[in-house]
Amino acid sequence: MAAFPHTFSLRLLTGWRGGCVWYLERRAVLESPHKFMHLFRNVNKQWITFQHFNFLKRMYVTQVNRILNQQVKPKPEPVASPFLEKISSDEAKTEIDEMRSLSPPSPSLSRKPDEKELTEPESASIIESSIDMGKETKEEKQWKEMKLDLDDLPGILARLSKLKLTALVVSTTSAGFALAPGPFDWPCFLLTSLGTGLASCAANSINQFFEVPFDSNMNRTKNRPLVRGQISPLLAVSFAACCAVPGVVLLTWGVNPLTGALGLFNIFLYTCCYTPLKRMSIANTWVGAVVGAIPPVMGWTAATGSLDAGGLLLGGILYSWQFPHFNALSWGLREDYSRGGYCMMSVTHPGLCRRVALRHCLALAGLCVAAPVLDVTTWAFPIISLPINLYISYLSFQFYKDADRKSSRKLFFCSLWHLPLLLLLMLTCKQWPGGKGSKEDAQS
């Protein structure tokens, strides 16, 4: 190996040139193993490992997120210019006066003298209006003390207590009182209706108090008084207490203790069981159906003083009616319930939602047949109520087969007139105790 570069250089070159070439070749051959090992060590140190890949991955994700954040354009706020916000109205007026004094009169003859007088107030009004806009935007951003107008208080309290739902509860209680056997006692009827209405107002107010952060995310409930800040939470709770205590007292001492206990239990069931369960399980629908089934039972117990099969039948009818009513309503509000965080059958179990609505529509026909068996109505009631029961069952079957907004709306609006008509037919076919002639005896 040592003779090879010497002979190669001697063949090519001679003299001092050959000696230089020979020296360079020898040095290269002798130092090549050391350079190779040094190069191998450097390459080994710079070898790409798992940490390098992990670092490259983090860099890529960071870069992608940065690009996405740069693509998001925030919505511009309609604020006034900072120059107009800094100056006050007095400073603006002084600057306008200085501009007027410094501005020389225009020598143009084509301009009329009236035009100059008109342009100066216009420019001043523009600057003053922009200053006022800047002040308004500043005031809107600041916290303001909530002021309640006493003229608006009745309407706010009516929406807080869900007046339409309260009216439905009182009507079903009245139907249960009227369908109960025995003479019709007007003072007891009025006390029962008033106490049930106050209990319903209290339960609805407490329900809205607990659901403010969730109602604010739903289009259907975002305009409620507590969500919009039209009433303070302390006032809402005070109103609920002022309704619950007199309502339960009237039902307990004005009617009977059984009706008062049912009213108190219904408030507890609605506020402490149904309300939190709406965000936990679909069982909230069944618990809510029990809440809606208790008012007609309260009317029955207020008239009779006892809980028997007739009162339970009325509660069963209200219990089954609520499933097609609420399931059809919730089907069109699935997006709202998902946004609000509520666990509803229409959101998590859509197939079960349709099946349950159909089952309870068919159960309504069976409960109507059980009414004359329990001596609540005559046998004419199952016959004359069969058409409306078949119609709501048909709409429920359409909802089960093709679940869409059209079929759900049809079933929901049918349920709105189905219940009042069904209760009215029960009243016309009421079974009076003692036979046909006892109706006049009961009224006398």
Side-chain angles (χ1 to χ4, degrees):
M1 291 292 295
F4 177 74
H6 178 68
T7 56
F8 180 75
S9 60
L10 289 176
R11 290 175 184 175
L12 294 178
L13 299 171
T14 57
W16 64 274
R17 294 180 181 178
C20 292
V21 173
W22 174 80
Y23 174 75
L24 294 174
E25 289 176 356
R26 182 178 178 83
R27 185 176 180 182
V29 170
L30 292 175
E31 294 180 358
S32 58
H34 301 284
K35 290 184 177 181
F36 178 77
M37 292 299 296
H38 183 70
L39 180 63
F40 178 78
R41 290 195 186 103
N42 292 337
V43 171
N44 192 18
K45 289 181 181 179
Q46 297 176 0
W47 193 259
I48 298 177
T49 59
F50 176 78
Q51 287 79 5
H52 291 81
F53 282 113
N54 197 11
F55 174 76
L56 292 175
K57 178 184 175 182
R58 290 198 302 269
M59 291 293 293
Y60 174 76
V61 173
T62 306
Q63 187 68 20
V64 169
N65 291 335
R66 186 181 302 168
I67 293 172
L68 292 177
N69 291 330
Q70 290 177 356
Q71 290 177 356
V72 176
K73 296 181 179 179
K75 185 177 179 181
E77 296 181 0
V79 296
S81 63
F83 173 75
L84 294 177
E85 289 182 356
K86 292 180 181 178
I87 60 176
S88 61
S89 59
D90 297 333
E91 293 175 355
K93 289 180 180 179
T94 54
E95 288 181 5
I96 293 169
D97 295 334
E98 290 176 2
M99 291 171 63
R100 288 179 181 175
S101 61
L102 292 175
S103 59
S106 60
S108 59
L109 298 176
S110 61
R111 192 175 185 182
K112 295 180 181 180
D114 295 336
E115 292 181 1
K116 182 179 179 181
E117 297 176 358
L118 290 174
T119 53
E120 290 179 354
E122 285 179 359
S123 61
S125 62
I126 291 172
I127 297 176
E128 290 176 358
S129 63
S130 60
I131 294 171
D132 294 336
M133 289 176 61
K135 288 183 178 180
E136 290 177 0
T137 54
K138 277 187 175 181
E139 291 176 357
E140 288 176 358
K141 289 181 179 180
Q142 294 177 354
W143 289 99
K144 295 181 180 179
E145 184 180 359
M146 184 175 59
K147 296 181 180 179
L148 179 63
D149 192 359
L150 294 179
D151 296 335
D152 299 334
L153 187 60
I156 293 174
L157 295 179
R159 279 179 282 139
L160 182 67
S161 58
K162 301 180 184 178
L163 200 58
K164 293 181 180 180
L165 181 59
T166 301
L168 178 62
V169 171
V170 173
S171 63
T172 56
T173 307
S174 304
F177 190 94
L179 284 168
F184 193 88
D185 189 0
W186 277 103
C188 183
F189 172 76
L190 294 176
L191 288 176
T192 303
S193 302
L194 180 60
T196 306
L198 290 175
S200 177
C201 290
N204 292 328
S205 301
I206 298 174
N207 172 261
Q208 291 193 35
F209 170 76
F210 284 136
E211 294 184 343
V212 170
F214 311 100
D215 289 343
S216 60
N217 297 323
M218 299 174 60
N219 293 327
R220 186 174 67 95
T221 57
K222 66 182 181 181
N223 291 324
R224 286 180 174 177
L226 283 172
V227 178
R228 297 184 60 185
Q230 295 176 334
I231 189 173
S232 65
L234 179 60
L235 185 57
V237 174
S238 302
F239 172 74
C242 292
C243 291
V245 174
V248 174
V249 169
L250 283 176
L251 293 174
T252 304
W253 281 276
V255 184
N256 54 60
L258 179 59
T259 307
L262 287 175
L264 182 61
F265 174 71
N266 213 21
I267 294 175
F268 170 79
L269 194 65
Y270 187 72
T271 57
C272 299
C273 297
Y274 170 70
T275 299
L277 202 60
K278 288 166 68 176
R279 295 178 297 277
M280 298 169 58
S281 172
I282 61 172
N284 68 84
T285 307
W286 283 269
V287 177
V290 175
V291 173
I294 289 178
V297 180
M298 292 171 59
W300 186 279
T301 58
T304 62
S306 61
L307 182 61
D308 49 17
L312 295 177
L313 175 67
L314 288 175
I317 290 175
L318 264 294
Y319 178 83
S320 293
W321 171 83
Q322 287 178 91
F323 286 96
H325 171 75
F326 181 74
N327 288 12
L329 173 66
S330 63
W331 190 266
L333 300 173
R334 287 178 295 172
E335 294 83 3
D336 258 8
Y337 282 125
S338 299
R339 197 180 302 113
Y342 293 113
C343 188
M344 296 296 175
M345 270 194 294
S346 58
V347 179
T348 59
H349 300 77
L352 181 63
C353 176
R354 295 177 288 171
R355 290 194 300 270
V356 169
L358 180 59
R359 291 171 190 169
H360 284 275
C361 282
L362 297 175
L364 283 173
L367 291 172
C368 291
V369 175
V373 177
L374 299 174
D375 291 332
V376 179
T377 63
T378 62
W379 282 99
F381 172 66
I383 299 173
I384 63 177
S385 64
L386 184 62
I388 61 174
N389 288 330
L390 289 178
Y391 183 67
I392 195 172
S393 299
Y394 167 74
L395 293 180
S396 181
F397 178 74
Q398 293 293 326
F399 174 65
Y400 168 75
K401 186 175 66 173
D402 300 318
D404 53 7
R405 291 187 178 272
K406 183 179 180 181
S407 59
S408 62
R409 285 174 64 87
K410 283 185 177 180
L411 180 59
F412 171 72
F413 285 114
C414 176
S415 66
L416 292 179
W417 59 261
H418 176 271
L419 181 64
L421 185 57
L422 187 67
L423 295 176
L424 182 61
L425 292 177
M426 290 187 73
L427 285 173
T428 57
C429 300
K430 178 182 176 180
Q431 182 69 48
W432 296 94
K436 296 181 180 180
S438 62
K439 180 177 180 180
E440 291 81 6
D441 299 337
Q443 292 177 350
S444 61

PDB file of all heavy atoms in Angstrom, residues 172-196:
ATOM      1  N   THR A 172    -107.100  20.439  34.519  1.00  0.00           N
ATOM      2  CA  THR A 172    -107.150  18.996  34.776  1.00  0.00           C
ATOM      3  C   THR A 172    -107.564  18.706  36.223  1.00  0.00           C
ATOM      4  O   THR A 172    -108.272  17.722  36.492  1.00  0.00           O
ATOM      5  CB  THR A 172    -105.782  18.364  34.490  1.00  0.00           C
ATOM      6  OG1 THR A 172    -104.771  19.018  35.261  1.00  0.00           O
ATOM      7  CG2 THR A 172    -105.439  18.472  33.013  1.00  0.00           C
ATOM      8  N   THR A 173    -107.129  19.574  37.154  1.00  0.00           N
ATOM      9  CA  THR A 173    -107.578  19.418  38.540  1.00  0.00           C
ATOM     10  C   THR A 173    -109.087  19.639  38.655  1.00  0.00           C
ATOM     11  O   THR A 173    -109.791  18.906  39.380  1.00  0.00           O
ATOM     12  CB  THR A 173    -106.836  20.401  39.449  1.00  0.00           C
ATOM     13  OG1 THR A 173    -105.431  20.242  39.260  1.00  0.00           O
ATOM     14  CG2 THR A 173    -107.185  20.178  40.904  1.00  0.00           C
ATOM     15  N   SER A 174    -109.580  20.627  37.937  1.00  0.00           N
ATOM     16  CA  SER A 174    -111.026  20.886  37.950  1.00  0.00           C
ATOM     17  C   SER A 174    -111.802  19.722  37.356  1.00  0.00           C
ATOM     18  O   SER A 174    -112.896  19.378  37.848  1.00  0.00           O
ATOM     19  CB  SER A 174    -111.324  22.176  37.184  1.00  0.00           C
ATOM     20  OG  SER A 174    -110.583  23.259  37.709  1.00  0.00           O
ATOM     21  N   ALA A 175    -111.248  19.109  36.296  1.00  0.00           N
ATOM     22  CA  ALA A 175    -111.926  17.958  35.704  1.00  0.00           C
ATOM     23  C   ALA A 175    -111.975  16.781  36.673  1.00  0.00           C
ATOM     24  O   ALA A 175    -112.992  16.083  36.770  1.00  0.00           O
ATOM     25  CB  ALA A 175    -111.209  17.551  34.412  1.00  0.00           C
ATOM     26  N   GLY A 176    -110.876  16.571  37.391  1.00  0.00           N
ATOM     27  CA  GLY A 176    -110.891  15.504  38.392  1.00  0.00           C
ATOM     28  C   GLY A 176    -111.889  15.779  39.508  1.00  0.00           C
ATOM     29  O   GLY A 176    -112.553  14.850  40.001  1.00  0.00           O
ATOM     30  N   PHE A 177    -112.027  17.034  39.917  1.00  0.00           N
ATOM     31  CA  PHE A 177    -112.999  17.390  40.951  1.00  0.00           C
ATOM     32  C   PHE A 177    -114.426  17.183  40.445  1.00  0.00           C
ATOM     33  O   PHE A 177    -115.303  16.700  41.191  1.00  0.00           O
ATOM     34  CB  PHE A 177    -112.791  18.841  41.364  1.00  0.00           C
ATOM     35  CG  PHE A 177    -113.570  19.259  42.571  1.00  0.00           C
ATOM     36  CD1 PHE A 177    -112.993  19.195  43.829  1.00  0.00           C
ATOM     37  CD2 PHE A 177    -114.874  19.723  42.463  1.00  0.00           C
ATOM     38  CE1 PHE A 177    -113.710  19.585  44.965  1.00  0.00           C
ATOM     39  CE2 PHE A 177    -115.592  20.114  43.585  1.00  0.00           C
ATOM     40  CZ  PHE A 177    -115.009  20.040  44.841  1.00  0.00           C
ATOM     41  N   ALA A 178    -114.677  17.562  39.181  1.00  0.00           N
ATOM     42  CA  ALA A 178    -116.025  17.446  38.641  1.00  0.00           C
ATOM     43  C   ALA A 178    -116.414  15.996  38.367  1.00  0.00           C
ATOM     44  O   ALA A 178    -117.595  15.640  38.444  1.00  0.00           O
ATOM     45  CB  ALA A 178    -116.137  18.267  37.359  1.00  0.00           C
ATOM     46  N   LEU A 179    -115.450  15.148  38.011  1.00  0.00           N
ATOM     47  CA  LEU A 179    -115.754  13.755  37.711  1.00  0.00           C
ATOM     48  C   LEU A 179    -115.917  12.902  38.960  1.00  0.00           C
ATOM     49  O   LEU A 179    -116.387  11.760  38.877  1.00  0.00           O
ATOM     50  CB  LEU A 179    -114.651  13.160  36.830  1.00  0.00           C
ATOM     51  CG  LEU A 179    -114.683  13.562  35.359  1.00  0.00           C
ATOM     52  CD1 LEU A 179    -113.390  13.145  34.666  1.00  0.00           C
ATOM     53  CD2 LEU A 179    -115.883  12.946  34.662  1.00  0.00           C
ATOM     54  N   ALA A 180    -115.520  13.401  40.106  1.00  0.00           N
ATOM     55  CA  ALA A 180    -115.622  12.630  41.345  1.00  0.00           C
ATOM     56  C   ALA A 180    -117.087  12.481  41.741  1.00  0.00           C
ATOM     57  O   ALA A 180    -117.921  13.375  41.503  1.00  0.00           O
ATOM     58  CB  ALA A 180    -114.846  13.321  42.459  1.00  0.00           C
ATOM     59  N   PRO A 181    -117.447  11.350  42.324  1.00  0.00           N
ATOM     60  CA  PRO A 181    -118.839  11.168  42.763  1.00  0.00           C
ATOM     61  C   PRO A 181    -119.162  12.050  43.964  1.00  0.00           C
ATOM     62  O   PRO A 181    -118.279  12.416  44.741  1.00  0.00           O
ATOM     63  CB  PRO A 181    -118.895   9.684  43.142  1.00  0.00           C
ATOM     64  CG  PRO A 181    -117.501   9.329  43.495  1.00  0.00           C
ATOM     65  CD  PRO A 181    -116.618  10.171  42.617  1.00  0.00           C
ATOM     66  N   GLY A 182    -120.424  12.394  44.077  1.00  0.00           N
ATOM     67  CA  GLY A 182    -120.857  13.218  45.195  1.00  0.00           C
ATOM     68  C   GLY A 182    -121.289  14.592  44.739  1.00  0.00           C
ATOM     69  O   GLY A 182    -121.104  14.981  43.567  1.00  0.00           O
ATOM     70  N   PRO A 183    -121.855  15.380  45.633  1.00  0.00           N
ATOM     71  CA  PRO A 183    -122.318  16.725  45.287  1.00  0.00           C
ATOM     72  C   PRO A 183    -121.145  17.663  45.004  1.00  0.00           C
ATOM     73  O   PRO A 183    -120.044  17.486  45.509  1.00  0.00           O
ATOM     74  CB  PRO A 183    -123.101  17.174  46.526  1.00  0.00           C
ATOM     75  CG  PRO A 183    -122.527  16.363  47.635  1.00  0.00           C
ATOM     76  CD  PRO A 183    -122.123  15.054  47.049  1.00  0.00           C
ATOM     77  N   PHE A 184    -121.430  18.673  44.184  1.00  0.00           N
ATOM     78  CA  PHE A 184    -120.394  19.632  43.789  1.00  0.00           C
ATOM     79  C   PHE A 184    -120.356  20.747  44.818  1.00  0.00           C
ATOM     80  O   PHE A 184    -121.313  21.507  44.976  1.00  0.00           O
ATOM     81  CB  PHE A 184    -120.711  20.192  42.394  1.00  0.00           C
ATOM     82  CG  PHE A 184    -119.566  20.942  41.770  1.00  0.00           C
ATOM     83  CD1 PHE A 184    -118.606  20.287  41.025  1.00  0.00           C
ATOM     84  CD2 PHE A 184    -119.451  22.314  41.940  1.00  0.00           C
ATOM     85  CE1 PHE A 184    -117.543  20.973  40.444  1.00  0.00           C
ATOM     86  CE2 PHE A 184    -118.398  23.012  41.370  1.00  0.00           C
ATOM     87  CZ  PHE A 184    -117.440  22.341  40.622  1.00  0.00           C
ATOM     88  N   ASP A 185    -119.219  20.862  45.512  1.00  0.00           N
ATOM     89  CA  ASP A 185    -119.035  21.870  46.565  1.00  0.00           C
ATOM     90  C   ASP A 185    -118.232  23.025  45.988  1.00  0.00           C
ATOM     91  O   ASP A 185    -117.023  22.902  45.734  1.00  0.00           O
ATOM     92  CB  ASP A 185    -118.328  21.237  47.759  1.00  0.00           C
ATOM     93  CG  ASP A 185    -118.298  22.154  48.966  1.00  0.00           C
ATOM     94  OD1 ASP A 185    -118.830  23.288  48.864  1.00  0.00           O
ATOM     95  OD2 ASP A 185    -117.734  21.765  49.994  1.00  0.00           O
ATOM     96  N   TRP A 186    -118.878  24.183  45.786  1.00  0.00           N
ATOM     97  CA  TRP A 186    -118.222  25.319  45.147  1.00  0.00           C
ATOM     98  C   TRP A 186    -117.083  25.907  45.988  1.00  0.00           C
ATOM     99  O   TRP A 186    -116.005  26.182  45.449  1.00  0.00           O
ATOM    100  CB  TRP A 186    -119.243  26.405  44.814  1.00  0.00           C
ATOM    101  CG  TRP A 186    -119.954  26.143  43.519  1.00  0.00           C
ATOM    102  CD1 TRP A 186    -121.218  25.663  43.356  1.00  0.00           C
ATOM    103  CD2 TRP A 186    -119.429  26.347  42.213  1.00  0.00           C
ATOM    104  NE1 TRP A 186    -121.526  25.557  42.022  1.00  0.00           N
ATOM    105  CE2 TRP A 186    -120.443  25.966  41.300  1.00  0.00           C
ATOM    106  CE3 TRP A 186    -118.212  26.803  41.714  1.00  0.00           C
ATOM    107  CZ2 TRP A 186    -120.277  26.046  39.921  1.00  0.00           C
ATOM    108  CZ3 TRP A 186    -118.048  26.875  40.341  1.00  0.00           C
ATOM    109  CH2 TRP A 186    -119.057  26.491  39.459  1.00  0.00           C
ATOM    110  N   PRO A 187    -117.234  26.136  47.278  1.00  0.00           N
ATOM    111  CA  PRO A 187    -116.083  26.659  48.051  1.00  0.00           C
ATOM    112  C   PRO A 187    -114.881  25.730  48.023  1.00  0.00           C
ATOM    113  O   PRO A 187    -113.730  26.192  47.884  1.00  0.00           O
ATOM    114  CB  PRO A 187    -116.655  26.805  49.472  1.00  0.00           C
ATOM    115  CG  PRO A 187    -118.116  26.948  49.285  1.00  0.00           C
ATOM    116  CD  PRO A 187    -118.454  26.098  48.109  1.00  0.00           C
ATOM    117  N   CYS A 188    -115.139  24.419  48.149  1.00  0.00           N
ATOM    118  CA  CYS A 188    -114.016  23.478  48.099  1.00  0.00           C
ATOM    119  C   CYS A 188    -113.377  23.473  46.714  1.00  0.00           C
ATOM    120  O   CYS A 188    -112.152  23.367  46.588  1.00  0.00           O
ATOM    121  CB  CYS A 188    -114.526  22.087  48.467  1.00  0.00           C
ATOM    122  SG  CYS A 188    -113.230  20.838  48.541  1.00  0.00           S
ATOM    123  N   PHE A 189    -114.206  23.621  45.682  1.00  0.00           N
ATOM    124  CA  PHE A 189    -113.676  23.656  44.315  1.00  0.00           C
ATOM    125  C   PHE A 189    -112.785  24.870  44.095  1.00  0.00           C
ATOM    126  O   PHE A 189    -111.695  24.770  43.494  1.00  0.00           O
ATOM    127  CB  PHE A 189    -114.846  23.655  43.322  1.00  0.00           C
ATOM    128  CG  PHE A 189    -114.428  23.889  41.896  1.00  0.00           C
ATOM    129  CD1 PHE A 189    -113.826  22.892  41.148  1.00  0.00           C
ATOM    130  CD2 PHE A 189    -114.649  25.123  41.295  1.00  0.00           C
ATOM    131  CE1 PHE A 189    -113.440  23.118  39.838  1.00  0.00           C
ATOM    132  CE2 PHE A 189    -114.262  25.350  39.986  1.00  0.00           C
ATOM    133  CZ  PHE A 189    -113.657  24.347  39.257  1.00  0.00           C
ATOM    134  N   LEU A 190    -113.198  26.033  44.570  1.00  0.00           N
ATOM    135  CA  LEU A 190    -112.402  27.251  44.394  1.00  0.00           C
ATOM    136  C   LEU A 190    -111.096  27.174  45.182  1.00  0.00           C
ATOM    137  O   LEU A 190    -110.041  27.583  44.683  1.00  0.00           O
ATOM    138  CB  LEU A 190    -113.219  28.458  44.831  1.00  0.00           C
ATOM    139  CG  LEU A 190    -114.448  28.776  43.969  1.00  0.00           C
ATOM    140  CD1 LEU A 190    -115.233  29.952  44.558  1.00  0.00           C
ATOM    141  CD2 LEU A 190    -114.050  29.064  42.533  1.00  0.00           C
ATOM    142  N   LEU A 191    -111.159  26.649  46.401  1.00  0.00           N
ATOM    143  CA  LEU A 191    -109.930  26.519  47.178  1.00  0.00           C
ATOM    144  C   LEU A 191    -108.961  25.527  46.527  1.00  0.00           C
ATOM    145  O   LEU A 191    -107.744  25.746  46.525  1.00  0.00           O
ATOM    146  CB  LEU A 191    -110.271  26.071  48.594  1.00  0.00           C
ATOM    147  CG  LEU A 191    -110.939  27.115  49.502  1.00  0.00           C
ATOM    148  CD1 LEU A 191    -111.305  26.488  50.844  1.00  0.00           C
ATOM    149  CD2 LEU A 191    -110.024  28.308  49.719  1.00  0.00           C
ATOM    150  N   THR A 192    -109.510  24.446  45.971  1.00  0.00           N
ATOM    151  CA  THR A 192    -108.658  23.454  45.301  1.00  0.00           C
ATOM    152  C   THR A 192    -107.995  24.050  44.067  1.00  0.00           C
ATOM    153  O   THR A 192    -106.780  23.854  43.838  1.00  0.00           O
ATOM    154  CB  THR A 192    -109.494  22.232  44.910  1.00  0.00           C
ATOM    155  OG1 THR A 192    -110.126  21.698  46.070  1.00  0.00           O
ATOM    156  CG2 THR A 192    -108.630  21.167  44.271  1.00  0.00           C
ATOM    157  N   SER A 193    -108.756  24.795  43.271  1.00  0.00           N
ATOM    158  CA  SER A 193    -108.193  25.406  42.059  1.00  0.00           C
ATOM    159  C   SER A 193    -107.138  26.450  42.408  1.00  0.00           C
ATOM    160  O   SER A 193    -106.062  26.501  41.786  1.00  0.00           O
ATOM    161  CB  SER A 193    -109.316  26.042  41.223  1.00  0.00           C
ATOM    162  OG  SER A 193    -110.286  25.077  40.864  1.00  0.00           O
ATOM    163  N   LEU A 194    -107.418  27.261  43.423  1.00  0.00           N
ATOM    164  CA  LEU A 194    -106.464  28.301  43.804  1.00  0.00           C
ATOM    165  C   LEU A 194    -105.191  27.690  44.386  1.00  0.00           C
ATOM    166  O   LEU A 194    -104.070  28.110  44.036  1.00  0.00           O
ATOM    167  CB  LEU A 194    -107.109  29.248  44.811  1.00  0.00           C
ATOM    168  CG  LEU A 194    -106.235  30.411  45.311  1.00  0.00           C
ATOM    169  CD1 LEU A 194    -105.803  31.292  44.148  1.00  0.00           C
ATOM    170  CD2 LEU A 194    -106.981  31.226  46.361  1.00  0.00           C
ATOM    171  N   GLY A 195    -105.337  26.712  45.264  1.00  0.00           N
ATOM    172  CA  GLY A 195    -104.160  26.088  45.858  1.00  0.00           C
ATOM    173  C   GLY A 195    -103.312  25.353  44.829  1.00  0.00           C
ATOM    174  O   GLY A 195    -102.074  25.425  44.857  1.00  0.00           O
ATOM    175  N   THR A 196    -103.967  24.666  43.879  1.00  0.00           N
ATOM    176  CA  THR A 196    -103.221  23.958  42.827  1.00  0.00           C
ATOM    177  C   THR A 196    -102.506  24.944  41.910  1.00  0.00           C
ATOM    178  O   THR A 196    -101.353  24.717  41.510  1.00  0.00           O
ATOM    179  CB  THR A 196    -104.166  23.074  42.014  1.00  0.00           C
ATOM    180  OG1 THR A 196    -104.883  22.205  42.902  1.00  0.00           O
ATOM    181  CG2 THR A 196    -103.411  22.248  41.003  1.00  0.00           C
TER     182      THR A 196
END
